[in-house]
């Protein structure tokens, strides 16, 4: 069986010990998005009862934290914040926690959610203009105009 560890080439960012190397984006601006989804061996993203927290095993959580150590921000929707109350911090590998971004168009997130904890990491909430739901001190509101769900190109 081939070695499944990521290989680093000249077009990849250097990885710290225990972290994976991600390809460098090409073109002007150099931006890219890494998506991560936890799922069980049978392909499910939740248990039959709807529980989705810790559906992965320890190796998948190590991988998730290595991804977090390699990016500038981690983004979740308000549904994840309401259902799982995630920390969104880096804990299983060395490095700094990325900025935490919550997409919350109508202000449903609990201001006491753990992802809003003031630990020195930048925290942002993307929402519609005029939403007045309270945010904890230091959490930045980013207004995104429009009606209904956020369009991907917004």
């Amino acid at each position: 069986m081939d070695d499944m560890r990521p290989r680093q080439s000249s077009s990849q960012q250097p990885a710290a010990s225990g972290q994976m190397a991600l390809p460098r984006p090409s073109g002007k601006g150099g931006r890219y998005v890494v998506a991560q989804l936890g799922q069980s061996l049978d392909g499910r993203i939740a248990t039959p009862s709807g529980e989705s927290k810790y559906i992965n095993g320890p190796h998948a959580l190590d991988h998730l934290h290595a991804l977090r150590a390699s990016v500038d921000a981690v983004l979740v929707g308000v549904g994840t914040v309401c259902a799982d109350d995630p920390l969104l911090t880096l804990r299983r590998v060395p490095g700094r926690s990325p900025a935490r971004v919550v997409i919350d168009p109508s202000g449903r997130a609990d201001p006491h959610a753990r992802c809003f904890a003031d630990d020195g990491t930048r925290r942002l909430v993307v929402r519609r203009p005029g939403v007045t739901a309270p945010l904890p001190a230091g959490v930045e509101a980013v207004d995104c105009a429009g009606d209904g769900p956020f369009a991907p190109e917004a």
Side-chain angles (χ1 to χ4, degrees), residues 101-105 124-128 140-144 150:
V101 182
V102 176
I103 304 235
D104 186 11
L124 302 101
V125 174
V126 180
R127 59 189 188 175
R128 294 285 183 214
E140 301 170 53
V142 179
D143 288 343
C144 189
F150 287 131

Side-chain angles (χ1 to χ4, degrees), residues 64-75 87-91 95-101 115 119-124:
L64 166 68
H65 283 256
L67 279 174
R68 284 185 188 167
S70 302
V71 299
D72 295 320
V74 63
L75 179 138
L87 289 168
L88 305 178
T89 58
L90 186 64
R91 300 180 302 282
R96 63 167 182 76
S97 288
R100 299 186 292 266
V101 182
C115 63
D119 59 1
T121 298
R122 190 173 183 192
R123 299 153 294 141
L124 302 101

Side-chain angles (χ1 to χ4, degrees), residues 6-89:
R7 291 186 174 85
Q8 186 171 344
S9 72
S10 61
S11 66
Q12 292 179 322
Q13 298 176 10
S17 176
Q19 295 178 358
M20 68 184 63
L22 295 174
R24 287 184 192 259
S26 59
K28 244 182 181 151
R31 296 183 185 110
Y32 62 100
V33 174
V34 177
Q36 189 277 335
L37 173 72
Q39 70 183 70
S40 61
L41 287 174
D42 62 359
R44 299 188 183 273
I45 60 170
T47 65
S49 67
E51 294 293 317
S52 62
K53 197 170 188 178
Y54 304 123
I55 196 166
N56 292 331
H59 295 297
L61 290 172
D62 291 343
H63 176 74
L64 166 68
H65 283 256
L67 279 174
R68 284 185 188 167
S70 302
V71 299
D72 295 320
V74 63
L75 179 138
V76 296
V78 67
T80 297
V81 173
C82 293
D84 297 339
D85 195 17
L87 289 168
L88 305 178
T89 58

